[in-house]
Amino acid sequence: MGGYLVATNGKLAQWTDQQLPTASKCRDAVARHPLRQAVITSQGLTCYVDRKGNPGYILVTGSDSESTIIDTAHLR
């Protein structure tokens, strides 16, 4: 596995806590540690804030030689 998630506006943040983030925790992570590029790792979770200011996350749940499988959540 390898590669990156890339945001044109630097509104990504790696999430390392064992529990899934809430909307406010994703917003806080992005505000404190904004990234333009996040490394894709197995079971890696990346918070984001979209162009409308809405938080969410992308969770990598698996991969093979041809694809990466993700789960997404839009948080409120």
Side-chain angles (χ1 to χ4, degrees):
M1 173 168 297
Y4 301 93
L5 295 172
V6 179
T8 57
N9 58 5
K11 294 195 175 183
L12 300 172
Q14 297 285 9
W15 183 258
T16 57
D17 196 319
Q18 294 296 317
Q19 294 187 352
L20 294 175
T22 63
S24 63
K25 288 185 179 186
C26 262
R27 278 192 188 101
D28 185 52
V30 169
R32 289 177 185 241
H33 306 287
L35 300 171
R36 289 188 183 273
Q37 180 173 284
V39 176
I40 295 174
T41 61
S42 179
Q43 298 302 311
L45 192 145
T46 302
C47 284
Y48 68 84
V49 176
D50 70 16
R51 291 180 180 166
K52 294 181 180 181
N54 299 314
Y57 65 79
I58 301 164
L59 173 63
V60 177
T61 58
S63 69
D64 60 28
S65 62
E66 296 180 14
S67 61
T68 300
I69 303 160
I70 64 168
D71 184 21
T72 62
H74 304 282
L75 305 170
R76 295 185 184 254

